[in-house]
Amino acid sequence: MASQEIETLSSALARLPGLGPRSARRAVLYLVKKRESALPALLDALLAVQDTLEECRICGNVDTRDPCGICSDPKRDTKSICVVEDVADLWALDRAKLFSGTYHVLGGRLSALDGVRPEDLAIDSLLARVEAGPESAGVDEIVLAMNATLEGQTTAHYLAERLEQFPVRITQLAHGLPVGGELDYLDEGTLAQALRARRPLG
């Protein structure tokens, strides 16, 4: 039996997405074996972001500054906004370096089963961004990058209806994406193909 402190650490790690009890125990064993190098580095990294993580007031991304690095990047195409369900999807798309515009994080997806309604998502702030547009020019395109799930597609259709009032081109990722697949788990080749083959919605 491990000590109470080690069990507490294992339990804390097991609550992280993608880690179950067995994976958490393996991670703890690795940290114990490499405690001279890996443990201090992990602690330093956690402490460095503990008090500096912020949610971007423009797009909803998580960064150590507000506005985030993407929204404050002058090289970004502010006429194009890619709408995603959560921050993990934003990071997956931006990691592929295939989209030069900005993003908008909804904070979830519509789900009658889970009780997630339109007012629970960052939809009003998206509409406000589209209506205002950047100071120099308006928004030309909204890319709906919802996951290829029933709830994701329901959310995409709802957004398309809400955005019809604006003179913007609404496109959606092509679904070479696997049905039921989530962006964060897809390889860059699949993401690249989906972005290049995006098409008008409706």
Side-chain angles (χ1 to χ4, degrees), residues 1-3 6-7 9-11 13 21-36 38-39 42:
M1 291 291 291
S3 70
I6 291 176
E7 286 296 335
L9 177 58
S10 293
S11 297
L13 290 175
R22 292 179 65 184
S23 297
R25 283 194 293 273
R26 282 197 297 271
V28 169
L29 284 173
Y30 173 81
L31 291 171
V32 168
K33 289 178 183 175
K34 303 283 186 180
R35 60 184 168 274
E36 299 299 325
L39 200 51
L42 177 61

Side-chain angles (χ1 to χ4, degrees), residues 11 92-93 102 184:
S11 297
L93 283 166
T102 57
D184 193 34

Side-chain angles (χ1 to χ4, degrees), residues 79-159:
K79 293 184 178 183
S80 185
I81 300 175
C82 182
V83 184
V84 295
E85 292 177 21
D86 57 41
V87 175
D89 297 334
L90 186 159
W91 289 355
L93 283 166
D94 207 56
R95 191 168 55 236
K97 300 188 186 306
L98 298 163
F99 182 71
S100 60
T102 57
Y103 294 90
H104 190 87
V105 180
L106 291 175
R109 58 194 169 198
L110 296 175
S111 174
L113 194 62
D114 297 325
V116 181
R117 301 161 300 170
E119 53 266 34
D120 298 321
L121 304 177
I123 294 174
D124 288 342
S125 58
L126 170 65
L127 299 178
R129 283 180 72 184
V130 175
E131 185 174 17
E135 292 179 7
S136 57
V139 175
D140 286 343
E141 180 187 20
I142 299 292
V143 182
L144 299 178
M146 310 293 99
N147 286 308
T149 60
L150 179 60
E151 293 87 355
Q153 295 313 295
T154 300
T155 305
H157 287 295
Y158 177 82
L159 288 174

Side-chain angles (χ1 to χ4, degrees), residues 96 183-192:
L183 295 179
D184 193 34
Y185 296 101
L186 299 177
D187 63 275
E188 291 182 8
T190 303
L191 285 172

